[in-house]
Amino acid sequence: MTKLLEVNNLSISFTQYVQGLNRHDSKVITDLTIDVNENEIVAVLGSSGSGKSLLAHSILGILPYNSHVTGEIKYKGEVLTQELKEKLRGKEICLIPQSVNFLDPLMKVSQQAIGECEDDKEREEKKIRQREVFSKYGLDESVDDLYPFELSGGMARKVLLSTALLGDPNLLIADEPTPGLDKQSVEETISDIKNLKEQDKGVLLITHEINVALKTADRIAVFYSGHVIEINTAENFKDADNVLHPYTKALINSLPRNGFKLTEGVQPLDDVIGCPYYENCPVRMDKCEKNKPKLINHNGVMIRCFNYEEVNDES
Amino acid sequence: MNLEANNISFSYTKKKPILKDISLSLKNNEIIGLIGDSGSGKSTLCKILSGHISNYSGEVTIDNQKIPDKNFYPVQLIFQHPEKTMNPKWKMEKVLSESWTPTQELKDTFGLKDTWLTRWPNELSGGELQRFSILRALNPKTKFIIADEISTMLDAVTQVQIWEALINHCKANNIGILAVSHDEELLEVICDEIIHFNKINNI
Amino acid sequence: MSETPWYNKGLFSSLNLRQKTLLTIGLTGLVLLVIFISGTLIDANLPTDFSIKMQPPSFAHIFGTDWMGRDMFIRTIKGLSLSIMIGIGASIISSIIATLLAFLASINKFCDSFVSWLIDLFASIPHILLIMMISIALGKGAFGVIMAVAFSHWVNLTRVLRAEVLQINTSEYVALSKRFGKSKLWIAKEHILPLILSQIFVGTLLVFPHAIMHESSVTFLGFGLSPHEPAIGIILSESMTYLAMGAWWLAFFPGMALLIVVLLFDIIGDNLKRLFDPSQANK
C-alpha cells in the first residue's frame, strides 16, 4: 500500500538579517521524517512557536519567500513539486486553519466556501455540495449568509472544517484546531477529526496540546527544537515507561494527571551540532554532544537517540 | 492582605452585559483557580482586577482600600501570549528592567539564561518569553498575580517549570495568585480552591 | 526546491537585497551631496560676459549661456543646491509638525478630533494655493518658502503616524507599562518613538521631492524666492522670455536637472521604505 503522505528528511531554514548587512540562516525544522497512511491520524506534538506549523505550510507550498527547503515530500508516492502542490491544495490536500481570522472578514461564509467558479453551472453544483457538507455538520441555511465575525466559536470551527471538506480531500492538515477552547468544544473537535478517519481520510494533526493528540491520533510524533525525536503509537504514550526518548518520558510525567513532575532545562535557541536534548538529557553519552543522532527504526518505533541505535546495532 | 472584587458588572456593548454582579475574594497566601468556557468573559474580569479596564461598575479593593492608579499597580496581570506584551524594538534586557531588576538567583530559578537578555523578543520562543513576562510581573511591590491562561500555549514540561517557579516564589513572598485556565486537571494540581466562572457570573 | 532566487542573479549577484539597497541609497546620496556642496561653494554673483551671451550648448558651456553670458551649468547647480537646502528645511520642519501632532492626538479624544479636523482642513485646501498664501504672508524669500512648504506637507505623514501611535497605544505592552507605573511621557519616549522612528525618517525623505517641486513652482509663479536669488524657479521663469527666440537650452537643462534631483530623492525614499518593510526585509 502506498502511503498517503511521506515526508523525508525535510529541513526548513530562513534567511534573516541578524545585524546590519549579515544574513544568517536559521534552521527551524531539521531532518523531519514522517508519514501518514490512509485511514490514519498522525499528530505532530511540539511547543507553540517551535515551527511545526511550517510543516503544514511546506506541504501546501505556502512558505514565505525567504525560506529554504531541502528534502522531499511525497503524496501517494509522487514527489510534490510546487506546481503539484498548487494543483492539489484545496482539492486533494486541505488545511483546517486555526481560527476564523483565516477567513476573509468581508465575505459571506458560503461564498468563501464555494470559492471561484467559472460559470453559473459550476456555481450551482458547488452550492449544492456546500449545502450538503454544511448540513452534515449541523450548519443550517441561516449560517450561509453570515459573515465570519458573526459566527460563534463552535460554529466557526464547524465552518472551517466543512469548508476544508468541500473538495472531498484525501489528506487533511489540521493546524492547532483547539486553541483555548473549553472542554466541550475540544471534545467535539476531537470527535469531528476522528470522524474523518472513518471516512478513509488521512489527517495530519499539528498541535501543542498533548491531551488532544492522545485522544485523537493513532501515532504521535514528538517535536523538540526543530527535530522529530520520537514517533510512537498513541497507546504507548499513556505510560512514560512505554516511550523511548527521555524527553518524551519527561513530557508524559509532567502532565497534571501523571504527577506534574518537574524536569529542568530549556530547548536550545539555535541549531546545535549534537543531539538537541544533550544539555538536559539524563542518559547522555559523550558522543551525543558533537554528533547528531539519526531518526531510526527501533522495533517499529522511530527514535532519535544513540542509546537505541547501539542496541539496534548489536541485535 | 485581601484582594476583593465586589459586584463587578461590565459590558462592551450597551445591550449585552458580559459580567454581572461578580464578587470574588483572594488572600495573599492562597492560589485560587478560575475555570470557565472560552469567550465567557474570564479575561475581561482579569483585566478589571488588574486595572487594565477602568469603566466598570462595582469596586476592586485591597484590604477595603481603593487601589491607587498612579504608581505601580499591586495587582499584576500575566497574559496568555507573551509576545504581544513586549515592545518588538526592545531587547529582552530592557523588557525585564522596565518593571524591576531581579536577582541572579531569581533569574536562575525561572531558568532565564543570560544569553537571552541581549536578544530581541522575536528571537525567543513563547516559553522563553513567558518566563520573562512572569518574572517582570514579580516586582517586590506586587501583591497579587492574575495569571490568565499563562501556560496554555506551552508544552507540558515548560508548564511545570514555570508554575513551580511561580508558585514557590509567591508562597515565599506572600503573593496571592488567581490562576485562570480552561484546563481543570492543571488547576486541580496547582490550586487551593477552584471557582467555576459561570457560577459567580450572574448572567 | 532550492532554486536561485531572482535577486541573486545578474550583475550584483554577490550582494543581498539589503546591501544593494544601501548601495543605491549611498550612490544617490553621494550625487545629491556633490550637487549640494559644489553649489554652496559657487559665488552667487556669477561673472557676466556679454561677448558669449545666448550661446547654445557646447563643450565649453555644456548647458549653454544666458542673455548675460553666464554659464547655465553653474547657475543650474547653484539653483539645485538652493532647492535642496530649502527641501531639507521644509521636510524636517514638516516631519516635526507631523510627529508633534500625532502625539497630541494620542493624549485624549478631544485632542484626537482636533488633530483630525486640522488634517481634514489642510487636506481640503489645494497645496499650491496654501503655499502661495503662507509664502506671501511670511514675506516670501527662503524663509517664507520653507515655512509655506513645511506647513502644507505635514498632512500625509501625520495621518500615518496618528494611526500608528493609536495602534501602539492599544497594545498590551503599553497597557502593562502603565500598570508598572510609567508616565505617559515615558511611554511616548521609550515605547512609541522607537517604533515610529523609521516611519518618520521615510516620511521626511518622501516629502523632499514635493518640497523641491513646490518651491520651484511657487518661485516660477513669482510668489516664492525673490528674482535676484539663483533658484531654479527663477531660471525657468526668466527663460520663458527667451524661449520664443529659440533659446531652448535655458529651460531644458535646468528643468531636466530639477527632475533628476527629484527622482533621486524619490529613489532614496523608496529604497529606505523597502529596507524598513517587514514583508520583504529579509531578501
Side-chain angles (χ1 to χ4, degrees):
Chain A
M1 191 180 89
T2 49
K3 287 182 167 131
L4 197 57
L5 179 78
E6 257 180 288
V7 180
N8 292 321
N9 308 98
L10 180 79
S11 293
I12 301 175
S13 60
F14 283 89
T15 313
Q16 276 178 320
Y17 287 97
V18 222
Q19 238 175 8
L21 296 174
N22 297 321
R23 273 195 300 192
H24 175 73
D25 275 343
S26 53
K27 242 182 183 175
V28 189
I29 291 180
T30 312
D31 191 23
L32 184 146
T33 301
I34 199 172
D35 57 323
V36 182
N37 294 317
E38 267 176 28
N39 216 328
E40 187 186 39
I41 301 174
V42 176
V44 177
L45 182 68
S47 54
S48 60
S50 63
K52 57 195 181 330
S53 294
L54 293 172
L55 170 63
H57 294 177
S58 82
I59 294 171
L60 293 162
I62 50 173
L63 285 172
Y65 65 87
N66 59 335
S67 60
H68 186 78
V69 184
T70 58
E72 67 171 7
I73 305 174
K74 281 186 187 167
Y75 175 73
K76 288 187 172 167
E78 203 176 340
V79 175
L80 273 179
T81 58
Q82 184 64 27
E83 293 87 58
L84 194 59
K85 283 176 191 170
E86 277 164 26
K87 213 180 102 197
L88 292 180
R89 73 176 175 223
K91 299 188 180 77
E92 302 251 321
I93 307 175
C94 272
L95 176 75
I96 307 172
Q98 280 185 32
S99 72
V100 270
N101 294 342
F102 284 75
L103 295 176
D104 183 345
L106 298 176
M107 224 169 152
K108 284 177 182 166
V109 170
S110 61
Q111 275 175 305
Q112 303 200 38
I114 294 170
E116 270 181 58
C117 299
E118 291 195 343
D119 50 36
D120 285 345
K121 193 169 156 251
E122 194 188 346
R123 187 177 302 276
E124 282 302 309
E125 281 167 10
K126 281 193 173 177
K127 175 78 199 162
I128 293 166
R129 168 87 183 134
Q130 175 257 332
R131 203 48 265 152
E132 199 180 301
V133 179
F134 269 46
S135 52
K136 202 164 105 194
Y137 283 95
L139 299 164
D140 58 42
E141 278 178 26
S142 64
V143 178
D144 288 3
D145 288 336
L146 295 180
Y147 287 95
F149 76 93
E150 294 175 296
L151 300 171
S152 72
M155 250 198 268
R157 247 182 35 268
K158 291 206 155 75
V159 167
L160 292 174
L161 181 68
S162 33
T163 305
L165 286 173
L166 274 191
D168 199 22
N170 291 317
L171 176 66
L172 277 132
I173 302 169
D175 188 5
E176 298 278 8
T178 56
L181 292 181
D182 54 86
K183 221 172 171 179
Q184 195 202 338
S185 314
V186 170
E187 294 295 336
E188 272 176 41
T189 313
I190 288 173
S191 73
D192 281 347
I193 292 176
K194 282 188 132 169
N195 209 343
L196 295 174
K197 192 176 106 178
E198 249 101 273
Q199 300 167 35
D200 282 343
K201 300 188 189 310
V203 181
L204 184 67
L205 173 73
I206 295 173
T207 181
H208 73 275
E209 286 183 82
I210 187 165
N211 286 328
V212 175
L214 279 176
K215 286 183 194 155
T216 326
D218 300 303
R219 282 185 300 147
I220 299 175
V222 182
F223 208 65
Y224 184 86
S225 189
H227 300 74
V228 167
I229 53 162
E230 180 169 356
I231 307 176
N232 211 329
T233 59
E235 195 54 39
N236 283 344
F237 268 80
K238 291 198 172 127
D239 192 334
D241 294 334
N242 293 340
V243 292
L244 303 182
H245 200 282
Y247 175 74
T248 321
K249 288 180 197 287
L251 197 63
I252 293 173
N253 282 329
S254 65
L255 287 179
R257 65 166 171 280
N258 293 344
F260 210 54
K261 204 170 139 252
L262 177 72
T263 314
E264 296 287 346
V266 292
Q267 304 197 4
L269 270 189
D270 304 306
D271 194 29
V272 289
I273 323 164
C275 174
Y277 198 57
Y278 174 76
E279 248 180 84
N280 311 318
C281 185
V283 291
R284 67 183 173 197
M285 297 175 289
D286 288 339
K287 70 170 173 182
C288 301
E289 190 183 357
K290 292 279 182 300
N291 301 294
K292 190 165 280 182
K294 289 201 163 52
L295 195 67
I296 51 155
N297 191 328
H298 176 76
N299 304 334
V301 175
M302 300 299 282
I303 172 84
R304 189 190 289 279
C305 181
F306 282 126
N307 285 298
Y308 296 96
E309 210 163 62
E310 279 187 343
V311 177
N312 216 20
D313 287 345
E314 282 158 14
S315 61
Chain B
M1 227 179 255
N2 203 356
L3 173 70
E4 232 166 306
N6 294 320
N7 302 318
I8 302 282
S9 299
F10 183 78
S11 59
Y12 283 105
T13 54
K14 287 230 166 71
K15 280 184 213 151
K16 207 170 128 199
I18 180 157
L19 307 177
K20 200 168 175 227
D21 289 334
I22 292 186
S23 295
L24 189 79
S25 157
L26 174 67
K27 290 192 193 66
N28 67 348
N29 53 6
E30 66 181 358
I31 302 168
I32 290 186
L34 184 63
I35 193 161
D37 295 345
S38 59
S40 59
K42 283 177 299 175
S43 293
T44 310
L45 180 64
C46 290
K47 284 187 176 163
I48 289 173
L49 291 176
S50 53
H52 285 264
I53 293 176
S54 54
N55 54 337
Y56 58 91
S57 67
E59 55 177 8
V60 179
T61 56
I62 291 180
D63 290 342
N64 296 320
Q65 301 272 309
K66 277 241 161 208
I67 306 168
D69 195 37
K70 274 274 169 256
N71 299 318
F72 190 92
Y73 208 77
V75 186
Q76 284 291 325
L77 176 62
I78 305 172
F79 291 85
Q80 179 180 358
H81 298 283
E83 64 278 6
K84 288 188 199 158
T85 68
M86 290 166 188
N87 190 324
K89 294 261 160 140
W90 283 16
K91 290 213 165 147
M92 296 314 297
E93 220 163 3
K94 191 168 181 186
V95 169
L96 187 59
S97 64
E98 184 184 12
S99 166
W100 70 303
T101 317
T103 58
Q104 188 60 43
E105 197 193 337
L106 199 56
K107 281 191 217 165
D108 292 340
T109 323
F110 277 86
L112 274 196
K113 299 211 170 149
D114 284 336
T115 52
W116 297 353
L117 289 171
T118 51
R119 302 256 186 165
W120 305 102
N122 65 357
E123 295 173 319
L124 299 180
S125 76
E128 286 144 11
L129 292 177
Q130 195 63 294
R131 291 166 206 263
F132 275 95
S133 67
I134 292 171
L135 198 51
R136 182 171 63 166
L138 291 175
N139 185 303
K141 289 180 223 153
T142 304
K143 302 291 174 240
F144 295 95
I145 288 284
I146 314 288
D148 187 7
E149 302 268 15
I150 60 168
S151 59
T152 308
M153 301 306 286
L154 308 178
D155 61 275
V157 172
T158 314
Q159 168 166 284
V160 180
Q161 291 173 353
I162 63 166
W163 275 114
E164 279 269 340
L166 178 62
I167 290 170
N168 287 342
H169 180 86
C170 290
K171 286 257 146 111
N173 292 282
N174 283 323
I175 298 172
I177 302 178
L178 181 71
V180 181
S181 177
H182 65 278
D183 186 352
E184 198 154 11
E185 280 181 10
L186 171 72
L187 293 183
E188 269 163 16
V189 176
I190 58 172
C191 298
D192 303 322
E193 188 192 336
I194 294 179
I195 299 172
H196 285 262
F197 185 72
N198 292 342
K199 285 183 189 150
I200 57 169
N201 195 6
N202 304 305
I203 279 186
Chain C
M1 278 207 155
S2 53
E3 291 167 44
T4 321
W6 63 269
Y7 49 84
N8 279 347
K9 289 173 185 160
L11 186 59
F12 296 106
S13 55
S14 61
L15 299 176
N16 55 42
L17 184 85
R18 194 177 276 195
Q19 282 165 331
K20 262 184 266 182
T21 313
L22 281 179
L23 192 72
T24 320
I25 293 172
L27 284 178
T28 37
L30 193 71
V31 173
L32 292 170
L33 203 68
V34 166
I35 294 176
F36 180 63
I37 290 175
S38 53
T40 51
L41 294 177
I42 295 167
D43 185 8
N45 300 311
L46 289 174
T48 50
D49 181 353
F50 287 98
S51 64
I52 50 163
K53 69 170 185 177
M54 296 301 266
Q55 292 202 339
S58 64
F59 282 109
H61 306 280
I62 51 169
F63 283 11
T65 58
D66 66 1
W67 69 99
M68 283 159 84
R70 291 177 295 189
D71 185 281
M72 280 310 288
F73 179 68
I74 295 178
R75 286 193 77 195
T76 304
I77 295 286
K78 181 77 191 164
L80 286 177
S81 95
L82 192 71
S83 292
I84 292 173
M85 204 184 71
I86 289 174
I88 291 174
S91 49
I92 288 178
I93 293 174
S94 78
S95 297
I96 292 173
I97 296 173
T99 313
L100 290 178
L101 284 178
F103 277 115
L104 181 70
S106 74
I107 292 176
N108 59 33
K109 266 206 180 112
F110 176 75
C111 291
D112 186 44
S113 35
F114 171 71
V115 170
S116 302
W117 172 78
L118 215 59
I119 290 174
D120 290 343
L121 179 72
F122 274 78
S124 64
I125 307 172
H127 266 175
I128 201 80
L129 200 67
L130 191 64
I131 293 173
M132 287 192 308
M133 286 189 326
I134 299 175
S135 176
I136 292 171
L138 292 175
K140 301 203 224 171
F143 175 73
V145 174
I146 290 177
M147 284 304 165
V149 175
F151 276 96
S152 56
H153 279 82
W154 52 268
V155 177
N156 283 334
L157 186 59
T158 308
R159 213 179 261 153
V160 173
L161 292 182
R162 177 184 158 266
E164 195 84 355
V165 172
L166 226 58
Q167 199 205 339
I168 297 169
N169 256 327
T170 55
S171 70
E172 288 180 354
Y173 47 85
V174 169
L176 268 175
S177 202
K178 285 182 194 152
R179 299 299 101 204
F180 289 146
K182 303 293 183 197
S183 68
K184 274 193 168 169
L185 197 68
W186 193 92
I187 291 173
K189 201 174 108 239
E190 298 289 328
H191 273 292
I192 301 175
L193 200 59
L195 285 166
I196 59 171
L197 212 56
S198 59
Q199 299 262 24
I200 296 175
F201 202 59
V202 174
T204 311
L205 269 166
L206 288 178
V207 167
F208 225 104
H210 285 262
I212 293 176
M213 281 306 232
H214 278 128
E215 177 268 320
S216 300
S217 41
V218 283
T219 307
F220 178 80
L221 293 171
F223 298 103
L225 302 176
S226 55
H228 67 263
E229 276 179 278
I232 291 284
I234 301 289
I235 295 176
L236 290 176
S237 72
E238 281 174 357
S239 72
M240 297 309 282
T241 333
Y242 302 94
L243 266 184
M245 295 160 61
W248 54 272
W249 61 89
L250 289 183
F252 179 76
F253 288 112
M256 282 305 277
L258 180 70
L259 215 66
I260 289 168
V261 166
V262 166
L263 256 165
L264 288 180
F265 273 113
D266 223 37
I267 291 172
I268 295 187
D270 277 349
N271 275 293
L272 269 181
K273 214 171 168 182
R274 193 179 308 162
L275 215 56
F276 292 131
D277 179 3
S279 71
Q280 40 183 346
N282 286 310
K283 273 184 181 165

